[in-house]
């Protein structure tokens, strides 16, 4: 039987919901209050996930759960924020500790809208909360549903093509004690729309923070949605990030997820439902870990209809005593004939103490399909290092070049030049902070 963790943070959440949090929600619709109550009941019963949960088998939350996280004041002061991505020509939306900062955010062009928590007043939006998520028995998802304080909607109308990217900057600040920051977003891309969204996570605080962020996305027929997620959070930040996507006929979803910061723990869950025929899903990612970092990527390509295509490539570089997890699943339903699915996970360990748990999975219940998966774990090629050294390149520089080359088939697919430069700079900073001579 799966048993969770029931500690001081769990007790704080239970007390907060019953004494304070629930009364705050008196203006919400009965349907949303019912969803919150159901999620709270599940979380109350199951607790925080322990390693006894199969999906959390390799991600131990003990380090995180030692912190005394609390909800923070709504109006946390902040100073001028640095420009994260130089020369990025984009519409920018800034969320500080999960709360919209309208004074430093842009207005989106006609046909696109970004709505704040007032979107809860619209039943068409409020009723969609929790309707796209594929795992109703996920304790961390239930935690977010019960406690999220802010809710946003990004809505792209029919046939609208957004020429510039939309940059959603998630910024963590604060001078108080350990912060618990739960919030949520709904993305609606209507028929024949085309959108590029860049989401970055950065932190400017010396205090721990636990971020619980859920993003639900619905892609209508023939919508094209390009998504980039870049995690550059600093130490003592814990990010639990769940992204749920449902795709309808002939839609295209491209997602690149980069974990290149110093966050103590990152948990990325990306679940894609290919609900109608003709859909295309491309999932790419890299993770670069040092010190005692932990990065866990869980993905699902759920093929529910015929003639759909999914492709997945994740690459990891682990150093020091860091730990990474890749758990990718391709699920093909009986009716999903003519499925074409590819999945690959490649890893390089640059330390004898680094650990990777890689578990690619195929579950196929149709007989007319083309599906493959694979996983590799290794070290840098000694012959390649020797070749570069023989050309006058120092050993550490040679190893850095090989590491950059290893992830280049993911990073090279970033279509925004300024964002590509930013990601490569994060990689260089990460590698410069570590000595690769003894690796």
């Amino acid at each position: 039987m799966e048993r969770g963790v029931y500690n001081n943070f769990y007790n704080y959440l239970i007390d907060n919901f019953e004494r304070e949090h629930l009364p705050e929600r008196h203006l919400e619709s009965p349907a949303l209050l019912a969803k919150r109550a159901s999620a709270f009941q599940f979380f109350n019963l199951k607790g925080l996930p322990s390693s006894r949960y199969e999906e959390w088998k390799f991600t131990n939350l003990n380090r995180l759960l030692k912190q005394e996280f609390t909800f923070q004041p709504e109006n946390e002061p902040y100073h001028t924020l640095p420009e994260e991505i130089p020369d990025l020509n984009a519409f920018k939306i800034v969320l500080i500790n999960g709360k919209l900062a309208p004074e430093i955010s842009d207005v989106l062009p006609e046909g696109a809208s970004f709505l704040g928590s007032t979107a809860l007043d619209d039943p068409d939006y409020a009723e969609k909360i929790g309707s796209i998520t594929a795992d109703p028995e996920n304790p961390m998802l239930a935690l977010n549903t019960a406690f999220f304080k802010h809710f946003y909607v990004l809505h792209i109308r029919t046939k609208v093509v957004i020429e510039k990217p939309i940059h959603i900057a998630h910024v963590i600040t604060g001078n108080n004690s350990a912060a618990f920051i739960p919030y949520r977003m709904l993305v609606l891309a209507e028929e024949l729309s085309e959108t590029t969204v860049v989401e970055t996570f950065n932190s400017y605080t010396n205090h721990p923070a636990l971020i619980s962020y859920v993003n639900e996305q619905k892609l209508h027929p023939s919508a094209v949605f390009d998504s980039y997620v870049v995690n550059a959070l600093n130490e003592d930040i814990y990010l639990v990030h769940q992204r749920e996507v449902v795709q309808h006929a002939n839609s295209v979803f491209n997602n690149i997820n980069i974990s290149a910061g110093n966050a103590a723990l990152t948990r990325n869950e990306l679940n894609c439902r290919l609900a109608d025929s003709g859909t295309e899903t491309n999932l790419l990612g890299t993770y670069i870990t040092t010190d005692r970092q932990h990065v866990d990527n869980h993905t699902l390509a759920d093929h529910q209809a015929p003639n759909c295509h999914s492709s997945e490539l994740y690459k990891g570089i682990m150093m020091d005593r860091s730990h990474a997890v890749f758990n990718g699943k391709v699920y093909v339903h009986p009716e999903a004939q003519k499925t074409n699915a590819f999945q690959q996970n490649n890893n390089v360990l640059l330390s004898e103490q680094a650990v990777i748990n890689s578990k690619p999975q195929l579950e196929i219940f149709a007989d007319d399909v083309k599906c493959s998966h694979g996983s590799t774990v290794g070290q840098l090629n000694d012959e390649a290092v020797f070749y570069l050294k023989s050309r006058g390149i120092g050993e550490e520089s040679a190893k850095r070049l090989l590491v950059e080359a290893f992830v280049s088939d993911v990073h090279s697919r970033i279509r925004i030049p300024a964002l590509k430069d930013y990601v490569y700079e994060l990689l260089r900073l990460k590698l410069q902070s570590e000595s690769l001579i003894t690796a």
Side-chain angles (χ1 to χ4, degrees), residues 3-166:
R3 287 188 56 81
V5 177
Y6 309 92
N7 62 350
N8 289 340
F9 180 49
Y10 165 86
N11 293 331
Y12 168 81
L13 291 171
I14 300 303
D15 292 343
N16 190 275
F17 186 86
E18 294 178 342
R19 297 175 186 174
E20 303 174 29
H21 192 73
L22 190 57
E24 289 180 358
R25 302 298 168 185
H26 65 282
L27 297 178
E28 293 180 349
S29 69
L32 179 54
L33 287 173
K35 289 179 182 179
R36 285 191 185 274
S38 177
F40 174 75
Q41 184 178 16
F42 180 82
F43 176 75
N44 190 11
L45 176 65
K46 293 293 185 178
L48 295 153
S50 72
S51 57
R52 294 181 180 179
Y53 281 78
E54 182 62 29
E55 296 302 310
W56 290 80
K57 182 177 181 179
F58 300 112
T59 297
N60 191 326
L61 297 180
N62 285 341
R63 182 168 43 151
L64 177 156
L65 297 173
K66 291 178 181 178
Q67 304 289 344
E68 297 290 337
F69 293 107
T70 59
F71 292 104
Q72 297 300 290
E74 284 292 299
N75 297 312
E76 181 70 36
Y78 62 91
H79 302 289
T80 302
L81 299 173
E83 186 62 38
E84 296 168 5
I85 308 177
D87 302 320
L88 177 63
N89 183 19
F91 300 103
K92 189 170 186 179
I93 296 168
V94 181
L95 305 179
I96 298 178
N97 298 332
K99 185 177 181 180
L100 178 65
E103 65 277 10
I104 53 175
S105 298
D106 297 328
V107 176
L108 298 186
E110 184 178 357
S113 56
F114 188 84
L115 307 175
S117 293
T118 55
L120 292 174
D121 298 332
D122 188 330
D124 288 342
Y125 295 135
E127 289 175 3
K128 289 183 173 64
I129 295 175
S131 64
I132 300 173
T133 51
D135 185 5
E137 296 191 352
N138 182 324
M140 294 304 282
L141 175 59
L143 167 65
N144 183 279
T145 303
F147 291 98
F148 74 86
K149 288 207 166 191
H150 298 288
F151 172 66
Y152 305 100
V153 175
L154 173 61
H155 194 165
I156 312 299
R157 305 292 177 176
T158 301
K159 297 183 180 180
V160 170
V161 177
I162 307 297
E163 299 293 343
K164 296 196 302 185
I166 298 171

Side-chain angles (χ1 to χ4, degrees), residues 358-374:
S358 181
K359 186 182 178 183
Q361 304 172 72
L362 294 178
E363 293 190 33
I364 303 171
F365 299 95
D367 52 15
D368 187 5
V369 300
K370 292 182 180 179
C371 298
S372 65
H373 69 165

Side-chain angles (χ1 to χ4, degrees), residues 310-313 326-331 340-346 358-364 370-376:
S310 69
S311 176
E312 181 171 7
L313 175 62
F326 174 81
N327 190 322
K329 179 185 288 187
V330 174
Y331 192 99
N340 188 345
F342 166 80
Q343 182 189 88
Q344 183 69 33
N345 176 228
N346 301 122
S358 181
K359 186 182 178 183
Q361 304 172 72
L362 294 178
E363 293 190 33
I364 303 171
K370 292 182 180 179
C371 298
S372 65
H373 69 165
S375 175
T376 63

